[in-house]
Amino acid sequence: GMRNLSPRLRSWRFWALSVTITLLIALACLWVFRVNIAQSYLKKLCSDNELECRVDIQSLGFGGLETGSVEVRSSAGKIPFATDRAVVTLNWAGLFSPELERVQLVHPVIRLFSDGNSVKAEGLEGFGGGGSSSFPTLPEILIEDGLIFLDTPAGLLEATVGMTGKLPYSGDVSLEI
């Protein structure tokens, strides 16, 4: 038993057990507070882009994320994006390499603003990514009962949109003005 072990070996076992227990407790805390951590991360990401985001995370795990309502508000008070529900599915290509496999949006509303020369999404441009001319690996996108509003100097245009597929490679898009 433990009485026959040298003090040095007992000390090493004690420290190894202590470190293991500490790591397990830390991982358990991260798992328990994962939704709060994710919400804090999203708030910071939005804040860094001068946006205010409200996200109702309902579930978060290794397979992805599911939310209730999501609302993104610009510093000017405009809402360029909102949705009743979002489901993001991840595929793990390797141990530390998750890939976005599918994004489903239910009743999304996208508001675009035009000054007559350009169209902007009021702050969402910063979320576009890296500016590479080649297409990244895009997820399958499913949009159910979406609305797009385009606010122009000539008035407000409204269109309904639905989409399934992995654009620009394949998919179906329906747009009705």
Side-chain angles (χ1 to χ4, degrees), residues 106-122:
V106 178
H107 304 291
V109 178
I110 299 171
R111 296 182 198 287
L112 304 172
F113 305 92
S114 174
D115 60 6
N117 296 319
S118 64
V119 176
K120 296 193 182 223
E122 198 66 36

Side-chain angles (χ1 to χ4, degrees), residues 71-129:
E71 182 180 271
V72 178
R73 185 179 301 269
S74 72
S75 57
K78 296 179 179 176
I79 302 172
F81 177 80
T83 190
D84 289 348
R85 180 172 176 253
V87 179
V88 176
T89 306
L90 297 176
N91 178 30
W92 291 83
L95 183 60
F96 296 108
S97 27
E99 295 175 351
L100 205 50
E101 184 174 298
R102 183 173 193 233
V103 176
Q104 176 184 8
L105 302 173
V106 178
H107 304 291
V109 178
I110 299 171
R111 296 182 198 287
L112 304 172
F113 305 92
S114 174
D115 60 6
N117 296 319
S118 64
V119 176
K120 296 193 182 223
E122 198 66 36
L124 295 181
E125 295 83 6
F127 287 102

Side-chain angles (χ1 to χ4, degrees), residues 1 5 16-17 23 29 34 42 50 62 84 103 118 126 130 151 156:
L5 296 176
L17 185 60
L23 285 174
C29 287
R34 70 192 182 283
L42 288 172
E50 298 181 14
F62 293 112
D84 289 348
V103 176
S118 64
D151 195 357
L156 186 66

